[in-house]
Amino acid sequence: MRISEQAKQLCRARILEKAAELFAARGFDQTTTRDIALAAGVAAGTMFNYFPSKETMAMTMVNEALARGREEFQTRLDGSEALEEELFLLIGTELRRLRPLRPFLGPVLERSLSTFPRKSVCPEGETARQEHMECVRQVMRRHGFSATPEDVAGTIYWSLYLGILASWTGDQSENQEASRGLIDYAIRTFVQMISGTAQGGDHGH
Amino acid sequence: MATEARRKTGIEDRAALLNLMPRQEEAARRRLAELVESVAAKRPPTTSFSRLWILGSLQAKVTCAYLAYWLRSRWADADERERLKSETHLKAALQLLGTMGYLRGAVMKLGQMLATFPDALPDEFARLLPALHFEAPAMHYAMVREVFLDEFGKEPHELFASFEREAFAAASLGQVHRARLLSGEQVAVKIQYPGIARTIEADLRNLRLLMQPMRLGEDWGNTVVKLAEVERVLLAETDYLAEASFAQTVRDSFTPEEGIVIPRVYPEYSTRRVLTTEHLEGVHLEELLDSAPSQELRDRYTHLMTVATTRMLYRTHWLLADPNPGNYIFMPDGRLGLVDFGCTRELSDEEWQLQVEVEDALLRRDETEMERLIVKASLYDSAEQMGQERLELIGRVIRWQLEPWLSEGIFDFGDEDFFRRGMEAMVEVMRKGFTRGMPVHIWTNRFILGARGVVYRLKGRCDFQEIYRRESGRDGCGMSGAATSK
């Protein structure tokens, strides 16, 4: 049994690895599940036992990267950060982990994270949102804000975050440095909004 | 309550800003204030401009100061219709400037550029400029950490023995932090704002669009060329490795006995976006002045500044294109530290040739040749085409700039009459809109104004001719054209 479980994990990992290679080389839309099965050396039917769709595969990679980013984020905190800084670090650390997947992320995130009503909601996309928002909620609590992810603040945060992801995914500048300004600006805007102060936005006083 | 307090702060800030504007033309000041008010009062959403305005930010101060002058110059001869048109453009200008408000580095830079844009720096600006370099708000440390990860793959605390989270100085395109190397040396780490180069490009694109309808008349073509020049120099400034290499060149041209210190660069801690140099202990101009230094010390520093800048010019044909009090560190042992070589401009062979020709003409007291060169530098074919008034005024400015070259013995840069004459001539040039000229003169003028502003405030003296002769290797009393100062 244990061997079988290990083999399963290896197979799953191989599928993800080959899928990532193909997505990066050909693009997400141009890659079929058949291509992936072939490259991973598994039968199409077997593969569907692991991942029902290529969106699921891609979002699994995304979620794993984001989770690693959040773990790393926790280790980078020293407790002296202001709310803006902490959120900036959270997003920055996540995106750094996400960077290897960037070449094919556009269509994946568009489909899986869209907030518009869809026929089928991607469960991994929903996981991504919940896990990120849970982390944001913890950060905010630490700084004395008690917003829940479902309320207005959470919704606005998520909209800003999606805007950041969209910009970052298509950012042609070196190390996506153009998006870094946007992240800072978006976070300051958000913090300004929930704090009800006139500050924020500009690198401000 | 909070709203009321905010409103009150806003009003106070506006009053403070109004005080910064030139007083001579009360009507222009008031009208400008109204215009700014009308733009700033627009809500919602809060425009970047009103935020800048309410924060009383430096960009806004400098921009407004510039605009006030600009408005005055427009009003000098214009009829009513022209005035209204100018106001409309001004309004658009304010709104657009507001949208350029995020990445402050470029805006600060632009603010400085705008302040001297038509090549003149009125007295008020001379006092405003120092503030630009030390009062700016900072990038937060989380941003700095992310920049480090991109540049070095390491966090600041992994790279250095210690690293101060708060910047101790704002550089025009970034900010400077104190740190200590693992080997123990104290260093200054300059960090560039992410994406600043793109912002400069975008802002200058906007500025070109913005200025187009202002119809700068026959000189519009020249203005476009100058904007391109500004863009080129600013973009070059974003490459800190180029700056490091230039700093090394300058460093090599001074010996320790001379009392001029160029901080050592640490290449292993430097990239295009991060520059680590030796940290020099000392004070800036304001602090030095507060300590009521002796005349002897003032003269010593004036001597060292003159040696430093003339040597750079004559040996390497480089100008410090953006000299400001922040470039000078007055060290406790009487040495002068020279820091921040980001904004520099190398003169082309053709530009240098013109310097030499002007120098020769001045040396020979050849007025006919001087006139020919002034016409040439102003991009006219003949004195007739240039016009008598323009020729006379530009000539006055150039002769003022070159006065030290013709004065035997100790030259007093702190002389109020001397400084005022120069400023008045330059303000007059700007009011008349006589800004046409070679793009390099943006920098030579900045160089002279910046440097003269510092030694004027220092009330310092030196034997300029002696220094000139030694540094240029030329005999007799000469000069070097419009590019050198002090």
Side-chain angles (χ1 to χ4, degrees), chain B residues 258-290:
Chain B
E258 290 180 292
I260 293 166
V261 183
I262 316 293
R264 171 182 168 192
V265 174
Y266 292 92
E268 61 277 37
Y269 300 96
S270 300
T271 68
R272 287 184 65 203
R273 306 283 185 241
V274 177
L275 180 63
T276 301
T277 58
E278 175 189 354
H279 181 259
L280 301 184
E281 280 305 326
V283 297
H284 288 296
L285 181 66
E286 291 300 324
E287 222 176 309
L288 177 75
L289 293 177
D290 285 347

Side-chain angles (χ1 to χ4, degrees), chain B residues 74 117-119 211-212 214-227 377-380 385-386 390 394 429-439:
Chain B
R74 293 278 113 178
F117 184 70
D119 300 350
M211 293 184 78
Q212 206 140 23
M214 289 183 179
R215 299 184 310 126
L216 298 179
E218 53 166 326
D219 293 336
W220 171 241
N222 186 234
T223 304
V224 171
V225 175
K226 281 183 172 171
L227 281 175
S378 304
L379 306 177
Y380 286 98
Q385 192 195 17
M386 186 168 174
R390 194 185 283 245
I394 300 295
V429 164
M430 198 188 108
R431 289 182 64 141
K432 296 280 184 189
F434 292 166
T435 60
R436 177 159 154 179
M438 293 164 71

Side-chain angles (χ1 to χ4, degrees), chain A residues 76 78 80-81 85 88-89 92 96 99 173-175 177 180-181 184-185 188 198 200-203 205, chain B residues 6 51-52 55 101-102 104 137-143 145-146 149-150 155 165 194-195 198 272-273:
Chain A
R76 295 180 75 191
D78 68 9
S80 68
E81 294 84 3
E85 283 190 75
F88 185 89
L89 271 188
R96 196 172 292 282
R99 208 178 256 171
S173 65
E174 202 180 332
N175 294 320
E177 60 178 13
R180 193 148 293 145
D184 191 31
Y185 195 82
R188 285 173 193 270
D202 293 300
H203 286 280
H205 302 261
Chain B
R6 254 194 331 269
R51 198 158 53 233
L52 289 179
L55 292 173
Y102 172 57
R104 72 191 167 90
M139 273 195 275
H140 54 57
Y141 186 54
M143 175 88 98
R145 293 173 71 182
E146 289 294 304
L149 280 178
D150 279 342
E155 300 249 15
R165 302 169 67 110
R198 283 162 174 263
R272 287 184 65 203
R273 306 283 185 241

Side-chain angles (χ1 to χ4, degrees), chain A residues 48-60:
Chain A
F48 286 119
N49 289 334
Y50 291 92
F51 301 104
S53 66
K54 60 179 184 172
E55 278 85 359
T56 315
M57 285 178 215
M59 278 311 289
T60 302

Side-chain angles (χ1 to χ4, degrees), chain A residues 113-163:
Chain A
L113 295 182
S114 172
T115 48
F116 290 99
R118 287 158 293 167
K119 268 188 240 147
S120 59
V121 172
C122 172
E124 283 72 21
E126 192 48 26
T127 305
R129 188 183 74 84
Q130 282 175 3
E131 289 181 350
H132 181 81
M133 288 311 293
E134 176 54 29
C135 188
V136 169
R137 185 166 54 173
Q138 285 169 11
V139 170
M140 286 172 62
R141 270 210 204 115
R142 270 206 291 278
H143 289 271
F145 295 93
S146 53
T148 56
E150 291 75 29
D151 73 2
V152 175
T155 306
I156 290 176
Y157 176 88
W158 187 245
S159 309
L160 289 169
Y161 181 70
L162 290 183

Side-chain angles (χ1 to χ4, degrees), chain B residues 323-393:
Chain B
N324 63 78
N327 290 129
Y328 303 107
I329 309 282
F330 302 96
M331 299 174 70
D333 53 7
R335 290 184 300 163
L336 177 75
L338 219 56
V339 298
D340 201 347
F341 296 95
C343 196
T344 54
R345 167 68 151 76
E346 184 177 21
L347 302 189
S348 68
D349 290 345
E350 190 194 348
E351 287 158 354
W352 184 252
Q353 186 53 37
L354 185 64
Q355 310 283 26
V356 174
E357 287 176 32
V358 172
E359 188 167 322
D360 289 344
L362 196 82
L363 195 70
R364 297 194 309 268
R365 314 256 170 179
D366 184 344
E367 279 302 312
T368 316
E369 177 65 357
M370 274 300 280
E371 183 178 292
R372 187 186 74 79
L373 293 168
I374 291 166
V375 169
K376 186 179 173 186
S378 304
L379 306 177
Y380 286 98
D381 295 328
S382 65
E384 296 72 45
Q385 192 195 17
M386 186 168 174
Q388 197 50 45
E389 191 188 13
R390 194 185 283 245
L391 183 62
E392 188 279 321
L393 193 50

